[in-house]
Amino acid sequence: MRRLAFLALFAALAVPAAALASERAADDGTLSVVTADGVINVVARGGVIGSCDQCRVWITDPVAGDGTGAVVTGWEDKDDVTDTKSKWSGTDVRFKLIGGSFKLRVAGTGITLYAVGKGSGSLRGAVTNTGTWSLNDGTPRLLPDTMKPFVLAA
């Protein structure tokens, strides 16, 4: 019974990942950030999923209906800044946007996120940062201690 439950859970998690992967264009770039403390900014058309231990997340979704829209859970405080921009904060926050254009800013600790698409951004690690980042399937490295711009491209 446990094995069946595990397989069902795995299948449920694999379906969204497979859908995202099947829509990835040949010229899409990738960003992977793992267990980082700092600030990550992404402006792109594509998708992003992530989580953080303690953080603030700002999401701008400028075009209603061009993707899933922002899905954020675990937040303790939410502020609708404008009609298209919201800020969430708290501990164990999880977020995703799949499809469409978006602007994302995450500032905090224990940040893990994966983005696929076309766009750009910047990132900077905190003084205590031990997290890594990888751009466009490159080698993982520590986050820089100054703001570093990047381009999502194949």
Side-chain angles (χ1 to χ4, degrees):
M1 184 66 168
R2 235 185 229 179
R3 179 184 278 176
L4 182 60
F6 177 75
L7 289 173
L9 176 63
F10 180 75
L13 293 173
V15 169
L20 181 60
S22 68
E23 294 180 21
R24 181 176 174 199
D27 57 348
D28 279 351
T30 61
L31 172 67
S32 173
V33 177
V34 179
T35 321
D37 298 346
V39 178
I40 294 106
N41 300 295
V42 180
V43 179
R45 180 169 183 77
V48 63
I49 59 172
S51 65
C52 56
D53 294 339
Q54 174 91 33
C55 68
R56 292 179 310 272
V57 178
W58 293 264
I59 297 175
T60 303
D61 187 4
V63 182
D66 71 341
T68 63
V71 178
V72 183
T73 61
W75 52 272
E76 295 159 9
D77 187 46
K78 180 184 179 196
D79 180 24
D80 291 323
V81 179
T82 68
D83 288 346
T84 60
K85 181 179 183 178
S86 297
K87 179 185 95 170
W88 294 264
S89 59
T91 56
D92 196 24
V93 176
R94 299 178 184 286
F95 52 91
K96 72 176 178 177
L97 292 107
I98 306 298
S101 298
F102 63 88
K103 182 177 181 181
L104 169 78
R105 177 180 178 88
V106 183
T109 61
I111 301 166
T112 296
L113 72 79
Y114 304 96
V116 175
K118 295 177 190 69
S120 61
S122 60
L123 46 78
R124 173 179 44 91
V127 174
T128 59
N129 181 53
T130 58
T132 61
W133 73 294
S134 174
L135 182 64
N136 301 319
D137 299 323
T139 303
R141 56 188 175 249
L142 289 175
L143 267 71
D145 57 2
T146 59
M147 196 60 79
K148 175 161 179 70
F150 62 83
V151 175
L152 288 174

